[in-house]
Amino acid sequence: LISEGLKRVILDQLGLDDWDLQPGTTAAEVPGWDSLSHASIIAAVEDAHGVRFTVREIVGMENVGQLQALLDRKKG
Amino acid sequence: MLLDQPVFLLFLGFSLVAFRLTPVALRWRTLLVLSLLFYLSFSAPALLLALIAEAGIAWAAARGAQRAGDGPARVRWLVGGAAALVAVLVCVRIAGSPGALPAWWPAGGRLATSLGVSYFTLQAVSYVADVSLGRIRAEPSFGKVLTYLALFPKLIQGPIERAGSLLPQLDAPRIPGYEGLRSAALLFGWGLFKTAVLGERLARIVDPAFARPEDFGGLAPVLAAYAFAFQLYFDFSGYTDMARGTARVLGIELTENFRAPYLASSISDFWRRWHITFSRWLLDYVFAPLHAAWRRAPILGTAGALLVTFGLSGLWHGFAWHYLVWGFLHGSGLAVESVARRLRRGAARGTPGGRLAGVLVTFHLVVLAWVFFRAPSVGAAMAVLASVLQPAGGTARLVDAAGGWLPVGLTLAACGGYALVSWGRKLRVFDTLARHAPVRWAFYYGLVVAILLLRQDGAGFLYSQF
């Protein structure tokens, strides 16, 4: 499942009050989450959780579930 | 052998027979042989070697990346493979640009054309990248990778297909039934009408104004710039329709490349509608990694990534300043839009009037950039733009240069017919009309007669030179 913390950071960046973010949700399904906003969402997630992703990890992410799994792995 | 030449229809008929006689599981091999024969028809065997070399590099790099697991070796396979592929492209493009080579350059190292190489290189890079990023599995068969790159309907000027979409279709391609063949033939015929009738006739208006800008002034260069915007659209989207129709006959679905681009309400919207497979390629393999790497500088990072991406897009069309300026104009427009979007975040959605204004402004910015794309140099583009300020009166001369009022009137009428049919398709008028066989067949015969009567022989497809 997607943690409340991750969900809040993403929605804040997109200016959305609420959205049903599931592990299989892709960026294209969320209003405003496109190639231009993707990098700033990732940067905000990094800042909020004190982690750093590599370029390959960022480019290779295909859905919110992969972002959550990567975040969990980084935080140990 | 280009798709609009009568000999191509013979080749397609021969292909269908060969395809039909091959067991379904082996048809990709028939497609491979046909594609290699098609490429050989351009009498440039060096290009065939470049194609096979790129397929070999892509096949080996993808397998290497997959074997490397999650470690840094995977990135090395990606970077090494992509660099080798781009090196092949650069060498072929240099050898295929006679004007760029010094006089002492040996004749054996010169190529008459670099047809198709830019397109299959982008597809080869995307294949290696997709495997390296874990999006798809590496294809064990070298022959299938070669078929993916070489598939003849899209070999010369795209669409730029992804391996994830095309490779699975090679497993068991089937000739479609009546309905599939009918839609394929219609797509092919509609595409031929766009390129051979509309595109080539518009060229008659465009070419004189860009060849001798000093002869025209006032409205004439403006008309020529508009005409070029539509010439390029009809020529390129027409080719894509023909390529998609051809592939459909052989049981392969290619990606749509255009979606009413001149109705875009912003530059970013334009790139979601124009040469879609190319802009997605740029977005996924150039912009995304750059933007991710520069994410700590939100505004400058985005602007920088856009400028570099579209600068490279310009250079992909040719190593010339005017293409670079064209790319930078689009990159700058997108950068301005991204900043405006940040400032506007959370603001109310646009009104219909605002959208209309957006469409008009975007269209004119795109036309302005096309002037740099079409002109042979930055100086020539500036001369065309400056000629707008010259005394008016060149319109009649431009019409004369285009062959007189009758051909120009026919061209405009044909463009109007195109707009009407497109509008009717959007409103689904034809879904109703097409149920009546006489109406349907009248349209088919009308299309064939229009092509036979109005077609013009020209310099071939504009985008095949890139």
Side-chain angles (χ1 to χ4, degrees), chain B residues 133-424:
Chain B
L133 292 168
R135 291 176 183 150
I136 55 169
R137 302 282 301 164
E139 169 58 52
S141 158
F142 166 72
K144 276 197 180 169
V145 173
L146 182 56
T147 312
Y148 156 58
L149 296 184
L151 192 70
F152 72 88
K154 53 116 184 129
L155 177 61
I156 300 308
Q157 57 176 55
I160 298 160
E161 292 294 324
R162 298 292 170 92
S165 150
L166 193 54
L167 276 175
Q169 296 191 61
L170 297 179
D171 288 341
R174 287 175 194 282
I175 298 168
Y178 171 76
E179 199 45 47
L181 288 176
R182 189 190 68 83
S183 73
L186 191 57
L187 202 52
F188 188 92
W190 189 238
L192 184 58
F193 175 75
K194 282 202 273 185
T195 178
V197 177
L198 302 180
E200 293 295 353
R201 284 192 166 272
L202 284 167
R204 303 288 187 275
I205 300 172
V206 174
D207 293 347
F210 278 86
R212 299 181 308 280
E214 64 281 4
D215 287 357
F216 304 99
L219 200 58
V222 178
L223 283 179
Y226 285 147
F228 177 66
F230 286 98
Q231 179 201 352
L232 191 61
Y233 169 66
F234 289 135
D235 184 88
F236 195 8
S237 72
Y239 176 90
T240 307
D241 289 347
M242 293 169 77
R244 293 179 65 225
T246 304
R248 188 173 289 172
V249 168
L250 301 167
I252 305 278
E253 274 303 313
L254 298 181
T255 313
E256 180 60 279
N257 229 0
F258 295 89
R259 206 164 41 82
Y262 295 140
L263 294 180
S265 56
S266 63
I267 302 291
S268 50
D269 190 22
F270 174 76
W271 282 103
R272 282 191 288 271
R273 295 159 172 266
W274 175 272
H275 204 179
I276 296 167
T277 55
F278 179 60
S279 58
R280 280 191 194 148
W281 190 97
L282 287 173
L283 197 67
D284 287 351
Y285 306 113
V286 182
F287 176 76
L290 284 177
H291 200 207
W294 298 341
R295 65 191 178 281
R296 292 286 141 198
I299 293 178
L300 280 181
T302 304
L306 286 168
L307 284 173
V308 172
T309 303
F310 279 84
L312 284 175
S313 154
L315 290 178
W316 177 82
H317 290 85
F319 303 131
W321 286 107
H322 65 108
Y323 288 128
L324 197 61
V325 170
W326 170 79
F328 278 144
L329 284 173
H330 276 277
S332 316
L334 288 163
V336 170
E337 274 182 27
S338 75
V339 174
R341 206 172 101 161
R342 276 185 163 272
L343 297 174
R344 238 188 14 224
R345 214 177 74 170
R349 290 178 67 85
T351 60
R355 197 191 128 68
L356 179 64
V359 170
L360 288 173
V361 170
T362 303
F363 174 68
H364 285 89
L365 288 175
V366 168
V367 170
L368 177 71
W370 282 143
V371 173
F372 287 88
F373 188 91
R374 170 61 179 81
S377 66
V378 176
M382 296 304 286
V384 171
L385 293 176
S387 69
V388 176
L389 303 174
Q390 298 302 311
T395 311
R397 280 203 301 278
L398 189 64
V399 170
D400 283 345
W405 279 107
L406 183 65
V408 170
L410 272 176
T411 305
L412 295 179
C415 290
Y418 169 82
L420 211 61
V421 172
S422 302
W423 187 50

Side-chain angles (χ1 to χ4, degrees), chain B residues 4 195-197 200-201 204 407 451 453-459:
Chain B
D4 64 342
T195 178
V197 177
E200 293 295 353
R201 284 192 166 272
R204 303 288 187 275
I451 291 168
L453 287 183
L454 299 173
R455 86 166 282 174
Q456 298 275 298
D457 287 325

